[in-house]
Amino acid sequence: TIFEELIRKFNEALNENPGEHFTPRDVVHLMVDLMLAGDGEVIQGEGVVRTVYDPCCGSGGMLTIAKEHVLGTEDRQGINPLADIHLFGQEVNPETWALSKSDMLMLHPDGHDADNISFGSTLSNDRHANRPFDYLITNPPYGKDWKRDEEAVRSEHERGSSGRFGAGLPRISDGQLLFLEHMLFHMKAAEEGGSRVAIIMNGSPLFTGDAGSGESQIRRWILENDWLEAIVAVPEQLFYNTGIATYIWVLTNRKKKKRKGKVQLIDATSFWVPMRKSLGDKRREIPQEKAAEILKLLHQFKEGEYSRIYPTTHFGYRKITVERPLRLNFQANSDRIARLEEQSAFRNLAISKKKDAKVKSKEEAEGRSRQEEIKKLLGGMPDTLFKDREAFLRELDASAKAAGLKLAAPIRKAILSSLSERDETAEICRDPEGCPEPDTELRDTENVPLSESIDTFFEREVKPHVPDAWINKAIVDEKDGQVGKVGYEINFNRYFYRYTPPRPLEEIEADIKAVEQDIMAMLKEMTE
């Protein structure tokens, strides 16, 4: 504890991130309790052997506290003092790793736990590869990039389900979900007893990333495998280096029957007491009695003021692309003809790639002449506003034929682009097969709950407002092949939002008048 306090002090002075080294002990005790929740019976008895693993073990605090919760201490009754608990960890910081090994040697002189604390980056060099564990717990770095490990991580991802990161890759700026994937990869198979996992992260892994993104695919993998048991929102201002909101995820591949297919959300943001003296940004703590209340909510598995229960599919949605038809008018007036100069296909007519100077000069001169002929052609067309593209094309083709000009497809496209403007009153532009062409500027998306048909949703939520819209059925999910991309997000605050009505206008007006009087009094003092 003294060492970790020194680290906090020095890192504050250097403006570094001490959260990588030290998780407050009240938070660790709560995480261990949540990880071990409901396992009292399986841990009790003689000959029980269990393994605990932390891939970002720091000074080893989570591991030693987990062992103490099982075996017991002078201050706390354990689950089974006779259990044989083996600790495993890995740490990338050499000084912290050395302290962790020293701590293990002092607490466990036989040295077997110290031998299991490995040095190196967990993401790029898994020192406990192919070893499953009974319990896994960690506090990964928040918002820290994984550029240093990128090559190894992407290589592992390409292995698919046989690798640690096959489910997906989060954005390069934040590697929290990589550590969660790594831990789930190290779970014991359910038929071999399964595992329980506890990890604390900030809010980003809950909702960052759109449908189809790496973050969403990782959440999808977790929820579709029914591994997420609960998420506990803990109070702010718990950590020494940051006051941000954090969430404890509890996962397992051996859910009890009543929890199968469901996820429990617990709002424990009010379960705290103020500290007598602040330590850095830590102004609050979770005492044992408050932790007991949180554990009670988890055990009861009932809906209430601080607890919500949802099916795993509740957090999923299908993102559909809604198209609207392209409607354009066309007119060969001077302003629109001048816009031809902005079209690359038109400009390229006067650009030659030939190296020979004479040939190059000749081709460019011919190209400029061609440009003038096209402008002359368009200038000679009637200055009529066409609201039907097919009618305008017929007029354009007739004028070109009369002038003896042949318009190549790129030039024809450039002309249409220059002489057109969007017009809601115009006719729909259609492709050669007669189907409406989509207007990319009017393209929109809708998130449809997985529990609802996309067609039913579309008819109810979209059609009444934009009758000419349709669903782009060419965009399908790469996993299930159905229309729309599947995404998952957990917007925690939405489920526990409590409406607070604004103060009466009379009170607000009285406050404003009081402030005005104070200002006037101060101004009067300054002028006297």
Side-chain angles (χ1 to χ4, degrees):
T1 302
I2 293 171
F3 172 81
E4 289 173 336
E5 175 65 7
L6 288 171
I7 282 181
R8 182 184 73 81
K9 290 280 190 183
F10 280 114
N11 281 4
E12 277 185 356
L14 295 171
N15 196 28
E16 292 187 1
N17 182 7
E20 294 179 18
H21 303 280
F22 189 19
T23 310
R25 288 299 176 261
D26 54 331
V27 178
V28 177
H29 282 293
L30 175 60
M31 289 181 66
V32 171
D33 282 336
L34 292 169
M35 180 181 68
L36 298 175
D39 270 19
E41 293 183 5
V42 298
I43 296 177
Q44 290 173 349
E46 295 184 5
V48 172
V49 180
R50 291 292 183 271
T51 55
V52 185
Y53 171 61
D54 183 348
C56 313
C57 68
S59 57
M62 286 191 174
L63 294 172
T64 55
I65 288 178
K67 190 167 187 174
E68 289 171 359
H69 276 233
V70 176
L71 302 181
T73 63
E74 294 179 1
D75 303 327
R76 176 189 287 266
Q77 182 179 356
I79 300 173
N80 181 4
L82 301 177
D84 188 8
I85 305 299
H86 297 267
L87 306 180
F88 295 81
Q90 186 164 339
E91 173 57 34
V92 70
N93 183 288
E95 291 84 3
T96 317
W97 165 75
L99 180 85
S100 179
K101 288 183 75 75
S102 302
D103 198 27
M104 296 295 173
L105 286 169
M106 287 187 287
L107 293 172
H108 317 288
D110 58 8
H112 71 271
D113 282 342
D115 292 339
N116 297 333
I117 306 300
S118 301
F119 173 69
S121 171
T122 299
L123 298 181
S124 59
N125 183 16
D126 183 6
R127 301 294 298 277
H128 299 288
N130 303 318
R131 180 190 287 273
F133 302 99
D134 297 292
Y135 299 101
L136 304 96
I137 184 169
T138 200
N139 174 17
Y142 302 158
K144 187 173 181 180
D145 68 66
W146 43 279
K147 292 178 182 177
R148 180 175 59 178
D149 303 307
E150 183 175 3
E151 184 178 351
V153 168
R154 293 194 182 280
S155 177
E156 187 86 3
H157 171 66
E158 290 172 2
R159 296 176 57 198
S161 58
S162 60
R164 290 177 291 155
F165 311 119
L169 297 179
R171 61 198 61 197
I172 194 74
S173 59
D174 190 355
Q176 291 176 89
L177 284 171
L178 289 178
F179 287 100
L180 179 53
E181 283 187 274
H182 169 83
M183 295 168 81
L184 295 174
F185 180 81
H186 278 280
M187 288 194 300
K188 280 189 173 179
E191 54 270 20
E192 295 176 6
S195 302
R196 286 184 66 80
V197 177
I199 181 171
I200 185 166
M201 300 184 283
N202 64 19
S204 178
L206 289 170
F207 52 79
T208 300
D210 200 0
S213 68
E215 292 93 344
S216 179
Q217 290 295 78
I218 295 169
R219 290 190 292 267
R220 178 181 185 178
W221 173 63
I222 292 169
L223 287 161
E224 290 186 351
N225 279 288
D226 197 16
W227 290 332
L228 184 58
E229 180 173 290
I231 297 178
V232 180
V234 293
E236 297 178 355
Q237 301 179 35
L238 280 183
F239 285 80
Y240 299 98
N241 65 311
T242 178
I244 64 172
T246 50
Y247 303 81
I248 300 172
W249 295 42
V250 182
L251 307 99
T252 181
N253 57 353
R254 50 179 172 87
K255 279 187 178 181
K256 293 182 178 179
K257 186 176 180 180
K258 66 178 181 179
R259 289 184 176 271
K260 288 187 179 298
K262 297 177 181 178
V263 176
Q264 184 178 12
L265 304 181
I266 297 175
D267 178 16
T269 54
S270 60
F271 290 55
W272 56 273
V273 296
M275 294 182 65
R276 288 181 296 174
K277 181 182 178 183
S278 298
L279 293 173
D281 289 324
K282 183 173 175 62
R283 300 177 179 86
R284 299 171 177 174
E285 61 183 348
I286 304 174
Q288 194 168 345
E289 58 271 18
K290 293 290 185 182
E293 292 179 30
I294 298 171
L295 283 170
K296 185 178 179 181
L297 290 171
L298 183 72
H299 285 299
Q300 287 177 336
F301 192 59
K302 293 180 180 178
E303 293 238 340
E305 182 180 2
Y306 302 106
S307 174
R308 301 281 190 273
I309 299 170
Y310 298 99
T312 55
T313 54
H314 177 80
F315 307 104
Y317 61 91
R318 196 172 289 277
K319 182 180 179 180
I320 60 172
T321 300
V322 177
E323 305 282 16
R324 293 184 62 188
L326 180 65
R327 297 175 185 268
L328 300 172
N329 67 42
F330 298 84
Q331 190 173 21
N333 59 29
S334 57
D335 290 338
R336 297 191 187 189
I337 293 172
R339 296 201 299 240
L340 256 180
E341 301 289 350
E342 301 171 7
Q343 299 293 321
S344 57
F346 184 78
R347 293 199 307 269
N348 289 340
L349 287 175
I351 299 174
S352 173
K353 295 182 180 180
K354 296 295 176 64
K355 293 182 179 180
D356 185 275
K358 289 185 178 181
V359 175
K360 182 182 180 72
S361 177
K362 181 181 178 182
E363 286 191 354
E364 290 179 349
E366 291 175 349
R368 286 191 292 271
S369 176
R370 176 77 169 172
Q371 288 176 334
E372 292 303 319
E373 289 176 350
I374 294 171
K375 287 181 180 180
K376 184 178 179 182
L377 163 69
L378 298 178
M381 290 179 64
D383 188 10
T384 306
L385 184 67
F386 290 83
K387 293 199 174 187
D388 184 335
R389 187 171 67 180
E390 293 303 316
F392 175 76
L393 282 172
R394 287 194 293 270
E395 181 67 30
L396 175 64
D397 291 341
S399 296
K401 185 177 181 180
L405 283 178
K406 185 176 182 181
L407 300 175
I411 297 300
R412 186 184 171 97
K413 185 177 180 181
I415 292 172
L416 291 177
S417 179
S418 301
L419 304 189
S420 65
E421 289 183 357
R422 281 174 170 77
D423 184 348
E424 291 183 0
T425 64
E427 295 294 322
I428 294 173
C429 298
R430 299 180 181 275
D431 63 22
E433 296 179 0
C435 299
E437 290 184 16
D439 187 339
T440 55
E441 290 190 6
L442 297 178
R443 182 172 290 158
D444 200 0
T445 59
E446 294 285 345
N447 292 341
V448 183
L450 288 182
S451 57
E452 187 170 0
S453 160
I454 61 172
D455 292 320
T456 302
F457 177 93
F458 182 77
E459 291 295 326
R460 184 185 72 247
E461 300 292 339
V462 180
K463 270 288 188 181
H465 308 289
V466 278
D468 58 0
W470 72 92
I471 300 173
N472 187 336
K473 297 193 174 181
I475 300 176
V476 298
D477 184 75
E478 61 180 16
K479 189 173 181 181
D480 64 20
Q482 296 183 34
V483 176
K485 292 185 177 182
V486 172
Y488 279 82
E489 66 176 16
I490 304 172
N491 193 332
F492 206 96
N493 294 333
R494 178 194 304 164
Y495 306 116
F496 293 96
Y497 173 74
R498 297 178 183 89
Y499 173 72
T500 303
R503 292 188 301 153
L505 290 175
E506 293 77 12
E507 287 186 17
I508 298 172
E509 188 177 4
D511 286 347
I512 292 172
K513 287 181 177 179
V515 172
E516 288 177 345
Q517 290 174 359
D518 290 342
I519 293 171
M520 294 303 295
M522 287 188 287
L523 289 172
K524 186 177 180 181
E525 289 178 6
M526 293 173 64
T527 56
E528 287 180 354

